[in-house]
Amino acid sequence: MLEVEDLTVYYYTSKGVVRAVEGVSFSISKREWITFVGESGSGKSTVAQAVIRLVPYPGKIQGGKILFNGKNILELNKKEMRKLRGREISMVFQDPMTSLDPLRKIGDQVVEAMTEHGVDEEEAKKRAIKLLKRVNIPEDRIDYYPHQLSGGQRQRVAIAIAAALEPSLIIADEPTTALDVIVQESIMELLQELKNSGTSIMFVTHDISLAFERSDRIAVMYAGKVCELGRSEELVSNPIHPYLKALLDSVPDVHSDKKVKAIPGNPPDLRNPPSGCRFHPRCPFASEICKKEEPELVELEKGHFVACHEVV
Ligand SMILES: Nc1ncnc2c1ncn2[C@@H]1O[C@H](COP(=O)(O)OP(=O)(O)OP(=O)(O)O)[C@@H](O)[C@H]1O
Ligand code: SF4
Ligand SMILES: [Mg+2]
């Protein structure tokens, strides 16, 4: 359904060019949940925003293809793009206030998400009540303003809006980060229900445990590149890239007395990323070749891709 090939996105800041995403390729199938995980600044949000062409200024999509049902999104004009957003692909942000209008009642906002795309007003109203019910917002709240709801409820409304036109793909960028664990679970469950009814989910998180919770596949990002990609069970039972191994070692496990190890060092400045493998300054296995040559993402086993000189 969605195929991204060689996506490259730079930010042209006054302090230099930030090479935020370089040569990223992946696909998403119908009814699939794919999660992008990695440390802060690894380019997860930039990839997510690029898919729906919402990379903020001073960002620019430098190259690549984003094929949605065979059509390159990067070649659509503004009108075609507006039609696609919401109807085919929609986005849920970390802070629901980014997409909700603080001055308008939530019911009206859900209705508008549909009327904007040509749904008749009466029909949209009926559907809005059903949608809000589905995300567990009682009917008597339909006239509430966003500030009268809790953070979790606001995120539910944002998801109702994203789901209003039954898009093929919902992109959710850290939608639960600001919420407590129980509310977080309820949002994850809601996305799972949408997936079960046929929507694909592109989920973004820096939380490695959350990443493995519901995903079919996982893309691990480091410094603007995908370093490991594969089925979720495969990555947790057989992680290969030293960065993914380190990420998994950095998570506390309540069921064992495993020692938690923080990853030494910091992610690089993407205005001037390290040569060769971008992880080499932090990698315990780095050798000479790692400093010079960039490892390619290769398929080691069926559907399991890794970019590391040590394992190829
Ligand atoms: N608007 C912007 N202007 C300039 N640079 C930006 C902008 N947005 C992101 N960047 C840079 O691009 C790189 C990737 O950022 P991005 O926000 O995609 O990472 P992320 O993985 O989503 O991080 P986080 O977990 O903190 O959300 C970082 O180096 C960041 O500083
Ligand atoms: S390519 Fe080298 S530096 Fe990079 S992860 Fe593999 S071993 Fe480490
Ligand atoms: Mg982000």
Side-chain angles (χ1 to χ4, degrees):
M1 184 194 67
L2 185 89
E3 268 178 69
V4 175
E5 289 171 21
D6 221 9
L7 178 68
T8 297
V9 186
Y10 292 168
Y11 290 96
Y12 290 85
T13 72
S14 55
K15 295 195 176 107
V17 180
V18 181
R19 290 158 61 185
V21 168
E22 253 179 358
V24 165
S25 302
F26 61 95
S27 63
I28 307 180
S29 315
K30 189 168 162 52
R31 215 184 264 248
E32 182 178 42
W33 180 316
I34 185 166
T35 295
F36 280 72
V37 67
E39 281 165 295
S40 181
S42 56
K44 309 178 296 292
S45 295
T46 304
V47 170
Q49 289 158 345
V51 166
I52 194 169
R53 270 179 52 192
L54 285 179
V55 175
Y57 177 84
K60 187 167 177 268
I61 299 177
Q62 286 297 124
K65 279 189 193 154
I66 301 173
L67 301 170
F68 181 71
N69 293 331
K71 255 198 195 160
N72 190 357
I73 288 185
L74 299 181
E75 286 167 0
L76 299 183
N77 62 31
K78 278 196 178 143
K79 195 171 156 213
E80 291 168 322
M81 208 52 226
R82 261 201 307 274
K83 223 167 141 189
L84 183 103
R85 282 195 201 115
R87 187 181 281 275
E88 302 283 0
I89 305 180
S90 58
M91 184 131 185
V92 178
F93 296 90
Q94 175 177 343
D95 175 5
M97 290 313 272
T98 317
S99 44
L100 296 180
D101 181 343
L103 302 176
R104 299 190 46 232
K105 295 174 182 169
I106 56 162
D108 293 346
Q109 298 191 48
V110 181
V111 168
E112 195 188 84
M114 290 179 269
T115 52
E116 247 179 12
H117 283 272
V119 178
D120 162 78
E121 176 114 19
E122 282 312 303
E123 169 68 19
K125 278 185 183 159
K126 270 192 233 150
R127 280 209 237 160
I129 295 171
K130 272 198 207 151
L131 265 167
L132 286 170
K133 219 182 233 165
R134 187 166 172 209
V135 299
N136 259 327
I137 305 281
E139 201 173 330
D140 60 2
R141 307 270 161 96
I142 201 153
D143 287 329
Y144 277 34
Y145 291 90
H147 74 267
Q148 293 173 299
L149 301 175
S150 69
Q153 286 172 327
R154 282 200 285 266
Q155 196 55 295
R156 290 175 166 279
V157 174
I159 292 176
I161 290 174
L165 294 160
E166 297 176 350
S168 322
L169 173 66
I170 292 185
I171 303 172
D173 186 358
E174 310 254 15
T176 66
T177 303
L179 307 171
D180 69 57
V181 178
I182 300 197
V183 182
Q184 172 174 305
E185 246 339 281
S186 73
I187 299 288
M188 295 297 278
E189 186 59 42
L190 187 56
L191 291 172
Q192 177 81 48
E193 280 171 23
L194 290 171
K195 185 200 136 173
N196 295 346
S197 60
T199 306
S200 306
I201 308 286
M202 178 175 176
F203 189 75
V204 169
T205 181
H206 61 274
D207 180 337
I208 185 85
S209 317
L210 196 62
F212 279 102
E213 210 177 88
R214 295 180 191 252
S215 316
D216 299 305
R217 278 192 306 141
I218 292 194
V220 183
M221 285 200 74
Y222 185 78
K225 291 177 180 279
V226 171
C227 63
E228 187 154 354
L229 168 73
R231 293 199 62 77
S232 161
E233 315 87 76
E234 169 75 11
L235 261 60
V236 76
S237 59
N238 183 22
I240 294 177
H241 196 282
Y243 177 62
L244 175 58
K245 286 186 177 170
L247 267 185
L248 289 167
D249 281 341
S250 70
V251 198
D253 182 350
V254 283
H255 302 298
S256 80
D257 50 11
K258 179 189 93 173
K259 270 237 164 61
V260 176
K261 283 189 258 166
I263 307 176
N266 290 307
D269 179 349
L270 294 182
R271 283 172 303 177
N272 187 19
S275 59
C277 171
R278 289 186 175 184
F279 189 54
H280 87 251
R282 300 172 79 186
C283 180
F285 309 102
S287 58
E288 273 314 302
I289 186 174
C290 305
K291 295 179 194 163
K292 291 190 191 117
E293 270 177 46
E294 189 185 323
E296 264 178 63
L297 192 67
V298 292
E299 191 168 15
L300 285 189
E301 282 158 46
K302 193 163 170 18
H304 190 167
F305 297 81
V306 185
C308 173
H309 290 303
E310 269 300 292
V311 295
V312 181

